[in-house]
Amino acid sequence: DLDGNVWTAGEVQYRGMGETPCTTHAPTKIGFFSANKIVITKIACGGFHSLAVDENGKIWSWGDNKRYQCGMRKYGTRTLNEPHIIDSMSEYKVNQIRCGQEHSYCATVDGQHF
């Protein structure tokens, strides 16, 4: 929303809320970002994963990581139940993100593509 909050609905295991699996159709705020004072400026959703960019150009991911589409090899192929910053992108300022069914893309302010 305009305040930088992220809202979600669907299966909890893929929504980034750190809860036991269930399904909800009502939009629910992902409290992780507001609790940590992280303002989100961009978001992209794939088949079962999501990416977000914060106001500092850092990229966050959560959801299904079975093809490493969350950019998180250190967590193996497990589902990420809450947002994690993508450490391998920490030196870059990201300004574009896209998600496919089982892949992700980002571009940096200096024109690099990942």
Side-chain angles (χ1 to χ4, degrees), residues 28-95:
T28 306
K29 183 165 69 169
I30 297 178
F32 174 88
F33 294 112
S34 57
N36 291 288
K37 299 185 180 7
I38 299 165
V39 176
I40 297 301
T41 59
K42 296 180 188 310
I43 191 157
C45 301
F48 298 98
H49 73 292
S50 300
L51 299 177
V53 176
D54 67 26
E55 63 187 343
N56 298 310
K58 301 305 174 196
I59 186 170
W60 298 79
S61 67
W62 64 95
D64 184 12
N65 193 44
K66 73 179 174 188
R67 303 268 190 257
Y68 303 108
Q69 60 267 48
C70 289
M72 305 299 247
R73 285 203 175 272
K74 70 181 178 182
Y75 292 107
T77 58
R78 71 180 177 90
T79 296
L80 305 177
N81 292 325
E82 65 181 22
H84 289 69
I85 195 162
I86 300 178
D87 294 330
S88 62
M89 296 299 297
S90 63
E91 67 184 81
Y92 303 99
K93 187 170 183 176
V94 173
N95 67 347

Side-chain angles (χ1 to χ4, degrees), residues 17-31:
M17 300 190 56
E19 302 169 12
T20 54
C22 71
T23 301
T24 180
H25 299 287
T28 306
K29 183 165 69 169
I30 297 178

Side-chain angles (χ1 to χ4, degrees), residues 89 92-98 104-114:
M89 296 299 297
Y92 303 99
K93 187 170 183 176
V94 173
N95 67 347
Q96 291 182 44
I97 51 175
R98 302 284 186 271
S104 299
Y105 161 84
C106 69
T108 63
V109 295
D110 62 353
Q112 296 186 66
H113 301 265
F114 299 91

